[in-house]
Amino acid sequence: MSDSAIFLSGLALSISLIMAIGPQNVHVLRMGLTRQHLALTVLTSIVADMALIALGVFGLGQLGALPDKIYGAMIGGGVLFLLHYGLRAWGRFWRTWRALRDIAKRSPAEPPVIDAAPQSQPPIGPGRAIAMALAFSWLNPHAWIDTAALIGTASLAYGAQAGLFGWGAMAGSILWFTGLGAAAYFLGHVLRGQRFWMWLDAAVALMMWALALILARSLVVSA
């Protein structure tokens, strides 16, 4: 197989694994829509993803080689992380829903009360933005399984050219997160209504809890 074909194989596998909507992608979208350290978040997500790919291709190879207790602790930590993030998203949904309901109940003579939209919330600092992006990258067990384990295992098929396959996978990560960040930035100009944010937060909360349930069930099954 030619070098270009191996490189493109890594790129295609990387994008196919990352493109499924998960905590990391949702976080990048939210940072883009709220105009909060989008470039820093995208860069951190890329670097974190490349680190996992390098770990899989040049080191770990297979996540299954880890002791069961360490693997179980990673899954358990991921469940708690997803539950916590889902609860925060649901809290934002609930506050916005109550604010819009109160506005609807007011009489026309009363002045309208405008609830703070996500764009007007207190901004986070760059340090916290980096920490959050790393958390969504490295505290998510699916990222470890998909990136480190699957890509690392797939690279073994290319023998001495596994590194080229890994570089292709890293290029896929760069393309995906750059494109996702650009799309989120563009959508931020269009999607400004409170109702959009309310239902987005509700969908995020339900998705995070569903992922946590799936992970928790996998722990029970493997026990």
Side-chain angles (χ1 to χ4, degrees), residues 3-214:
D3 289 351
S4 60
I6 295 174
F7 183 88
L8 291 175
S9 295
L11 186 149
L13 177 60
S14 176
I15 292 180
S16 67
L17 291 174
I18 299 173
M19 68 188 305
I21 294 298
Q24 192 180 26
N25 288 338
V26 169
H27 178 64
V28 172
L29 282 172
R30 184 166 189 86
M31 296 298 281
L33 292 170
T34 56
R35 299 292 193 279
Q36 296 210 61
H37 302 292
L38 175 60
L40 187 59
T41 298
V42 168
L43 179 61
T44 304
S45 298
I46 290 173
V47 172
D49 222 44
M50 290 176 69
L52 288 178
I53 293 171
L55 179 63
V57 174
F58 302 108
L60 186 60
Q62 297 187 52
L63 191 61
L66 290 176
D68 291 340
K69 289 185 178 180
I70 296 180
Y71 182 75
M74 287 178 57
I75 297 295
V79 169
L80 294 177
F81 177 72
L82 291 171
L83 289 174
H84 172 70
Y85 187 76
L87 186 62
R88 291 186 60 183
W90 187 261
R92 292 192 299 266
F93 159 77
W94 185 250
R95 287 191 298 271
T96 305
W97 182 80
R98 291 184 62 182
L100 292 175
R101 182 194 61 182
D102 291 343
I103 291 173
K105 288 182 177 180
R106 288 177 176 270
S107 65
E110 293 181 88
V113 176
I114 305 300
D115 183 56
Q119 293 89 336
S120 62
Q121 291 179 357
I124 65 174
R128 188 182 173 197
I130 293 174
M132 290 174 67
L134 289 176
F136 279 101
S137 299
W138 289 346
L139 295 183
N140 175 20
H142 277 295
W144 283 83
I145 295 171
D146 289 349
T147 307
L150 294 182
I151 293 179
T153 302
S155 69
L156 297 177
Y158 298 93
Q161 292 180 300
L164 184 60
F165 179 87
W167 285 113
M170 292 180 190
S173 178
I174 294 172
L175 288 176
W176 173 259
F177 285 114
T178 302
L180 183 65
Y185 185 83
F186 171 76
L187 289 174
H189 287 295
V190 180
L191 303 173
R192 296 178 179 272
Q194 285 180 302
R195 292 189 182 277
F196 164 78
W197 284 99
M198 180 181 72
W199 293 117
L200 176 64
D201 283 327
V204 167
L206 294 176
M207 184 184 67
M208 296 300 103
W209 289 338
L211 289 174
L213 178 62
I214 292 171

